[in-house]
Amino acid sequence: MAQTKTLLNLFDFSQKVNYRTEILAGLTVAMTMIPESLSFAILAGFPPLVGLYGAFIMGLVTAIFGGRPGLISGGAGATVIVLIALMKSHGLEYVFGAIALAGVLQILVGLFKLGKFVRLVPQPVMFGFVNGLAIVIFMSQFEQFKVSTNGHTEWLTGTPFLIMSGLVALTIVIVVLWPKFTKKIPASLVAIMVVFALVMIFNIDTKRVEDIASVSGSLPPFHIPNIPFTFETLQVIFPYAAIMAAVGLTEGLLTLNLVDEITGTKGNSNRECVAQGGANILNGFFYGMGGCPMIAQTLVNLSAGSRARLSGIVAALTILAIILVGAPVIGKLPMAALTGVMIMVAIGTFEWTSLRIFKRMPKSDIFVMIVVTLITVFLHNLALAVLIGVIISALVFAWDNAKRIRARKHVDENGVKHYEIYGPLFFGSVAGFAEKFDPAGDPAEIVIDFKDSRVVDMSAIEALNSLSRRYSKLGKTVRLQHLSPDSIKLLKNADAIIEVNIAEDPEYMVSEKD
């Protein structure tokens, strides 16, 4: 009964909800999500409405079913960038097929509870991921200072540049100063409305949302991707679907961890995976460009005071309302106001703490953080950045542990030489382990004591096997002592291919192995 209640309880009704804060935060999130979704859709070559449909579907489904309150999802650039090559080579229908397949893969990750593996991401990788995204968000705002004429893009100059810069600066000033007066109304929303009012009252000629693309349309129509349902089609779309799923889940689960840290609460990573997958399947069948959690909009939401699911629902419904009826109004919003808000989000996203502790961090951690940041900034491939960061961290960990293998030696009253091993025996330390022994100079019997060590992997087993053979060729005996239960189990599982003697040890109740 309790389990059923947990499954059906989509909302925590015991949570006290500040409806005004949630609604205002949702409106602010929608205002910042619309131009970004439009920009990425146009960048990928999709119809502009595909971007807004993606933001609506992704935002609504994950707000209701996602892994935690406060997390905002939409048509994120990280996942859209993955699909650009497929769009150019096979067209939009194949893109929708890949998005739906990515959703299936994400649901499988959630159902098999694989979301927990995001815990393996070290803190320096988290720092690099967040800092890289902050820089990407910041740098992308400079695109608003450009204008396209006859397919040629150039920087604004003269009066248009000064107007744009002035309005962006005014937005930033309002966002910084408004919280000093009151926090009841989000500073970002106030800044957008003030700049909007100034532009309308004084009829200031500046770049607006409608200059990017039209945002007018109808409800997302149901549409089965018009692609051949063959193995050849699967071969085409699967790599893109897999990469999109990986990027979406990586960015989503890292963002979820970030929200957990900010709010001091715990989210459900596997539930978030299933929600993302379900939303992307719907995107594939309802003309949406897909997506994942968006760190910038999530931080806008949290900074506006939202802590419940309502703000995400309000943001998604606002986007739908704008598509249906509000396009003429939202099209008049000055891009300068949205640019200023996003610049402040980028500044707030950056982990300034990582710079303060820079000198105190191990050099390897600094290297990992910088590598992850650079890959995120220049390749826009979050999955690759995190994967490389985790691999480097794992190799550094292995190298550090490999250097810790030690051996204390002594000969007892019976003429038996004892090697007391310290540190784990694994693939990284086997070379150092082998150097500790002197088969030619040792007595007829030696004991290797593993009381302060562990046999970790197949490389360690092979190292023991090789060492035993070296002594055996000289007519000498090697016995292993004080092995941990897991080490004994590992050796017994490999007893068909190794030749080692485990010394009888009453303390561990280990029988001798001949």
Side-chain angles (χ1 to χ4, degrees):
M1 182 68 182
Q3 186 177 5
T4 304
K5 185 178 179 182
T6 303
L7 291 172
L8 296 178
N9 185 20
L10 299 176
F11 297 92
D12 181 7
F13 291 107
S14 64
Q15 182 184 14
K16 188 177 180 181
V17 178
N18 186 324
Y19 289 95
R20 180 175 65 178
T21 299
E22 294 295 321
I23 291 171
L24 291 177
L27 292 173
T28 308
V29 167
M31 294 305 103
T32 59
M33 194 184 293
I34 288 168
E36 189 167 338
S37 299
L38 287 171
S39 298
F40 281 119
I42 294 167
L43 175 67
F46 305 154
L49 272 176
V50 169
L52 292 184
Y53 286 152
F56 162 63
I57 296 170
M58 203 78 204
L60 184 63
V61 174
T62 55
I64 297 172
F65 299 102
R68 63 152 305 112
L71 194 65
I72 300 294
S73 296
T79 52
V80 174
I81 289 171
V82 171
L83 301 171
I84 292 177
L86 180 61
M87 176 66 186
K88 290 180 178 178
S89 62
H90 288 80
L92 191 59
E93 297 295 333
Y94 277 78
V95 167
F96 289 142
I99 292 169
L101 181 57
V104 173
L105 297 176
Q106 290 175 326
I107 287 178
L108 291 175
V109 169
L111 292 178
F112 286 102
K113 300 187 184 302
L114 302 178
K116 60 188 176 183
F117 286 105
V118 77
R119 297 173 191 164
L120 296 176
V121 178
Q123 191 61 43
V125 177
M126 282 285 287
F127 279 149
F129 148 75
V130 173
N131 291 347
L133 279 178
I135 294 170
V136 169
I137 293 168
F138 183 81
M139 291 176 62
S140 65
Q141 302 315 306
F142 289 109
E143 292 299 314
Q144 305 306 332
F145 287 85
K146 296 178 181 179
V147 62
S148 295
T149 51
N150 299 324
H152 179 65
T153 302
E154 56 186 24
W155 289 92
L156 292 173
T157 55
T159 303
F161 174 79
L162 293 176
I163 290 173
M164 186 74 177
S165 301
L167 292 175
V168 169
L170 175 61
T171 305
I172 292 173
V173 169
I174 294 172
V175 171
V176 171
L177 297 181
W178 183 258
K180 299 181 184 298
F181 299 100
T182 179
K183 295 183 179 179
K184 292 183 178 180
I185 305 175
S188 301
L189 186 58
V190 172
I192 290 172
M193 298 312 295
V194 168
V195 174
F196 184 28
L198 284 175
V199 169
M200 294 301 292
I201 293 169
F202 295 101
N203 196 25
I204 299 173
D205 183 19
T206 186
K207 191 176 182 181
R208 304 168 194 256
V209 170
E210 63 187 5
D211 295 328
I212 297 178
S214 170
V215 293
S216 179
S218 60
L219 286 170
F222 176 73
H223 167 75
I224 298 175
N226 186 21
I227 55 177
F229 290 91
T230 62
F231 183 70
E232 287 73 19
T233 301
L234 183 63
Q235 285 180 305
V236 171
I237 67 174
F238 185 82
Y240 294 97
I243 296 171
M244 178 183 170
V247 170
L249 291 180
T250 304
E251 182 162 357
L253 295 178
L254 291 179
T255 305
L256 184 140
N257 280 1
L258 189 66
V259 178
D260 286 352
E261 186 179 323
I262 292 172
T263 61
T265 56
K266 181 68 176 172
N268 187 325
S269 57
N270 294 310
R271 179 171 166 175
E272 181 60 35
C273 295
V274 173
Q276 276 194 53
N280 275 321
I281 290 174
L282 289 175
N283 269 295
F285 287 95
F286 283 91
Y287 274 103
M289 70 177 181
C292 67
M294 304 172 75
I295 190 169
Q297 279 68 24
T298 297
L299 289 169
V300 166
N301 190 43
L302 295 177
S303 63
S306 170
R307 293 295 182 271
R309 295 181 182 272
L310 182 60
S311 61
I313 296 171
V314 169
L317 294 177
T318 301
I319 291 172
L320 179 62
I322 286 167
I323 294 171
L324 298 177
V325 297
V329 176
I330 204 69
K332 301 294 183 183
L333 274 180
M335 288 302 302
L338 302 174
T339 300
V341 168
M342 295 305 290
I343 287 174
M344 290 306 298
V345 167
I347 293 171
T349 302
F350 196 90
E351 283 281 2
W352 300 101
T353 308
S354 63
L355 299 183
R356 287 198 294 271
I357 62 173
F358 206 78
K359 293 182 179 179
R360 285 175 281 172
M361 292 172 68
K363 291 181 180 178
S364 58
D365 285 354
I366 295 173
F367 176 72
V368 168
M369 185 176 73
I370 292 174
V371 167
V372 173
T373 300
L374 291 176
I375 293 174
T376 304
V377 170
F378 291 105
L379 299 183
H380 291 195
N381 191 330
L382 183 60
L384 178 65
V386 171
L387 178 62
I388 290 177
V390 171
I391 290 173
I392 295 174
S393 297
L395 291 175
V396 169
F397 176 79
W399 176 255
D400 287 342
N401 277 277
K403 293 188 294 184
R404 291 177 183 171
I405 195 81
R406 297 284 187 274
R408 183 183 296 169
K409 311 165 190 176
H410 72 273
V411 180
D412 64 17
E413 64 276 8
N414 298 318
V416 178
K417 188 170 183 179
H418 293 256
Y419 286 84
E420 297 175 2
I421 307 300
Y422 297 85
L425 181 59
F426 69 112
F427 70 89
S429 60
V430 291
F433 172 78
E435 293 171 358
K436 309 296 181 189
F437 297 89
D438 180 18
D442 282 347
E445 185 175 349
I446 72 163
V447 172
I448 306 177
D449 192 334
F450 281 90
K451 186 177 181 181
D452 294 301
S453 181
R454 290 290 184 276
V455 178
V456 177
D457 59 9
M458 194 63 206
S459 297
I461 292 173
E462 181 54 37
L464 291 173
N465 190 29
S466 175
L467 185 66
S468 181
R469 286 177 178 173
R470 286 167 62 194
Y471 277 95
S472 181
K473 286 179 181 178
L474 298 172
K476 300 176 181 181
T477 303
V478 176
R479 296 187 186 276
L480 311 182
Q481 192 176 46
H482 289 150
L483 287 160
S484 64
D486 56 329
S487 298
I488 294 171
K489 183 178 180 181
L490 200 62
L491 288 167
K492 285 188 178 297
N493 288 341
D495 62 0
I497 57 173
I498 65 170
E499 299 175 9
V500 294
N501 295 313
I502 300 177
E504 188 172 328
D505 177 15
E507 183 181 347
Y508 286 83
M509 299 175 65
V510 179
S511 60
E512 182 170 323
K513 178 178 182 291
D514 296 322

